[in-house]
Amino acid sequence: MDYKKGYQNWLNQPKLDGVLRQELLAITDEKEIEDRFYTDLEFGTGGMRGKMGAGNNRMNIYTVAKVTYGLGKYLLRQDIQNWEKGVVIAYDSRHNSRKFAETAAGVLGKMGVAAYLFEELRPTPELSFAVRELKAAGGIVITASHNPKEYNGYKVYGPDGGQMVTASADALIAEIARITDIFDIPIMTLAEGRNQKIIKMVGEKMDNAFTAAVTSICIPNPNSEVKVVYTPLHGSGNQPVRRVLAELGYQHVTVVAEQELPDGDFTTAPYPNPEDRSVFTLAMALADECGADIIIGTDPDCDRVGVVGRNKKGDFEVFTGNQTGALLVDYYLKTRTDLPKNKVVIKTIVTSELGGIVAKSHGAKVLDVLTGFKYIGECMTDFDKTGDYTFAFGYEESYGYLAGNYARDKDAVVASALICEMTDYYKKQGMSLYEALQSLYEKHGYFIEDVVALTLEGIAGKTKITAIMEKFRTVNFPGFADAKLICFNDYEAGISNDVTAGTKTKIDLPKSNVLKFVFDDYSWFALRPSGTEPKLKIYFSVTGKTWEEATAKKELLKKQVTDLI
């Protein structure tokens, strides 16, 4: 794509928004112009995410309108009655999120497709729930999850309330590709849509139904003595998380005041990711003041939650997603004795084996799916149709968890409630969450994980990521420490290579650009280009008979892999 031509085409557009025009005229860096126009902002199977601003490689009202117009065309092509079923639209606390949500509603409304727009910011899981509750044709969430303030994004949901999976996303992408003029897409104002009753506002009634669905999964604790510090990290979790905890009986919940209100600048947490220890700095200070047992923090769209507890020395420990997931699987399965024999726990291929081992010890079937909660949601919907399994719990290493059948995406609201419930359970036994985790390790072995994320932006970055992936497809990786390589999985080729037997078998999962190297002691590492960020992610999971042994082995494996890169 000729970026200079694209730049001029935008400036020559009489319909171009004045603020965006001035933004373009103020750019003096040629590389910046190239980055904004060398390609279209990609709508992939994970949706669309990018920096906000002017240009066809940026999130703005025109790129949002383009994708929404394609979505409308796709829905009407699938079923002409989808105009009446409509699309539910939610958004988070980021800059322009409300504007982008109204843009999407206006485009759909002009097409004659009903739009159900949340009146204020709401968590992503409530959107998933609302699609199912309203029996809508689909859903849209405007969010960039935990990215820095410069970013925003656009996720699409199917009629089951789950994010679009590959086949549907490919059909939508084809519709979007047919759109050539992003400045001439018809759109109505919010006022016009509401007057014509084609745009309908969603609010308190849906909040009540969502809260009831979440609390029905949990065990009330009206006399709980658990002390909790909670931070919504300037996002959409503040009201729903606090409401659910209050209704379940948790009266000792203290909120980090500096991070309580929505703030698109994420002033106190520039990278609002609950995987990052630094976002809990204020919460830790507050926890010391009030003697809290745990800290919980949800990301801006409240689909992921981080947990901080205290070790035996009383120091703060930030639990990984794998650790919290294993604890929740163990707690949930041993306290929900009414779950049927065909119960299943679903995790992703880059999630630690500890949770799977724990689930099997409780008699549950364990399924591995590709990275992304949409694949967990897809399995849930399939089980509803076939009855083969009863969904018990789903999770991924990136701090996303779900119990119950009311939604098809990870939910930090129910996860926050279950974490408090679990903390209360162990506190009554004189144990902390940290001690409960150590108990799991002593029983099943020590598992330690790590993720290295290489940021590789622009054209050169894409080229380098491709080169690294191709190199590892052909590399002869023997093993590390005393662990021997037994299996190499290429999920793009759909082939599992049994190194020991010298045989190949088909992987019964959708194709995805992921490589996984598995060793004979449950250790493994995997490489995966991010679907939403310009990053190559390398996941490590290593086991040992002690924490020290597992740590040493992990560092050795990391060095071998990063040296190759």
Side-chain angles (χ1 to χ4, degrees), residues 35-330:
D35 188 59
R36 288 171 181 251
F37 291 97
Y38 82 93
T39 187
D40 288 337
L41 185 61
E42 182 180 3
F43 185 94
T45 55
M48 180 171 70
R49 188 180 299 183
K51 292 179 179 178
M52 290 178 279
N56 44 271
N57 190 30
R58 292 290 185 271
M59 279 287 296
N60 51 64
I61 55 174
Y62 303 107
T63 51
V64 167
K66 175 184 177 181
V67 171
T68 307
Y69 193 67
L71 175 61
K73 288 284 190 182
Y74 163 80
L75 291 175
L76 294 175
R77 196 182 297 274
Q78 294 294 309
D79 182 353
I80 194 63
Q81 297 303 315
N82 278 338
W83 71 268
E84 189 174 16
K85 295 177 182 177
V87 177
V88 189
I89 305 170
Y91 55 94
D92 69 4
S93 59
R94 290 179 177 274
H95 292 307
N96 296 314
S97 283
R98 171 77 187 198
K99 180 191 289 187
F100 294 159
E102 290 186 7
T103 297
V107 170
L108 291 170
K110 195 70 173 178
M111 298 178 76
V113 178
Y116 297 91
L117 177 65
F118 274 98
E119 58 192 14
E120 292 180 341
L121 76 167
R122 290 297 192 281
T124 289
E126 186 170 349
L127 179 282
S128 175
F129 171 80
V131 170
R132 296 171 62 79
E133 186 78 357
L134 294 171
K135 296 180 173 57
I140 298 167
V141 177
I142 305 296
T143 179
S145 188
H146 57 275
N147 283 78
K149 66 179 181 179
E150 295 83 7
Y151 287 79
N152 216 323
Y154 186 114
K155 295 196 292 186
V156 179
Y157 289 72
D160 67 340
Q163 287 189 56
M164 272 193 172
V165 291
T166 306
S168 300
D170 286 347
L172 172 56
I173 290 166
E175 288 287 355
I176 295 168
R178 296 187 183 102
I179 302 167
T180 55
D181 188 354
I182 64 174
F183 293 99
D184 202 32
I185 294 172
I187 186 170
M188 62 170 50
T189 66
L190 179 61
E192 290 170 338
R194 295 188 69 177
N195 286 338
Q196 295 177 30
K197 294 182 169 46
I198 194 76
I199 298 177
K200 304 169 186 180
M201 306 308 290
V202 181
E204 183 180 4
K205 184 178 179 181
M206 190 62 66
D207 295 341
N208 294 340
F210 175 67
T211 301
V214 171
T215 54
S216 71
I217 306 300
C218 306
I219 300 172
N221 274 309
N223 299 310
S224 175
E225 293 299 318
V226 168
K227 294 182 178 179
V228 182
V229 164
Y230 169 59
T231 172
L233 296 178
H234 303 295
S236 60
N238 183 38
Q239 293 185 21
V241 170
R242 293 170 71 179
R243 176 179 176 180
V244 164
L245 293 182
E247 290 194 11
L248 289 170
Y250 299 98
Q251 301 302 315
H252 307 289
V253 179
T254 307
V255 179
V256 180
E258 299 92 334
Q259 298 174 329
E260 177 180 0
L261 299 180
D263 176 5
D265 285 324
F266 304 111
T267 306
T268 68
Y271 182 54
N273 186 350
E275 298 180 49
D276 185 351
R277 183 185 178 93
S278 67
V279 304
F280 293 109
T281 300
L282 292 171
M284 289 176 184
L286 184 58
D288 274 337
E289 288 179 23
C290 63
D293 298 294
I294 57 164
I295 300 167
I296 52 177
T298 53
D299 69 343
D301 65 323
C302 196
D303 62 351
R304 302 190 309 131
V305 59
V307 184
V308 182
R310 295 181 187 272
N311 61 25
K312 290 183 178 180
K313 297 178 182 178
D315 298 328
F316 291 112
E317 289 279 346
V318 180
F319 291 81
T320 69
N322 284 305
Q323 291 170 334
T324 303
L327 281 166
L328 283 170
V329 167
D330 181 59

Side-chain angles (χ1 to χ4, degrees), residues 420-467:
C420 291
E421 182 185 314
M422 176 171 63
T423 304
D424 180 85
Y425 173 87
Y426 287 116
K427 184 171 183 175
K428 287 173 180 174
Q429 298 180 35
M431 295 174 65
S432 67
L433 274 190
Y434 177 82
E435 289 168 329
L437 178 63
Q438 299 311 305
S439 178
L440 282 185
Y441 285 146
E442 289 166 9
K443 184 176 181 179
H444 301 289
Y446 288 81
F447 289 70
I448 186 168
E449 296 79 33
D450 203 351
V451 180
V452 174
L454 303 178
T455 300
L456 299 164
E457 296 182 318
I459 303 170
K462 280 187 175 182
T463 303
K464 189 166 186 177
I465 288 173
T466 300

Side-chain angles (χ1 to χ4, degrees), residues 384-442:
D384 279 351
K385 297 174 183 175
T386 66
D388 292 343
Y389 297 107
T390 298
F391 174 78
F393 197 84
Y395 78 106
E396 54 187 358
E397 50 75 39
S398 54
Y399 293 54
Y401 319 95
L402 179 66
N405 206 36
Y406 61 91
R408 291 292 182 272
D409 208 350
K410 51 191 177 288
D411 181 7
V413 182
V414 76
S416 295
L418 288 173
I419 289 163
C420 291
E421 182 185 314
M422 176 171 63
T423 304
D424 180 85
Y425 173 87
Y426 287 116
K427 184 171 183 175
K428 287 173 180 174
Q429 298 180 35
M431 295 174 65
S432 67
L433 274 190
Y434 177 82
E435 289 168 329
L437 178 63
Q438 299 311 305
S439 178
L440 282 185
Y441 285 146
E442 289 166 9

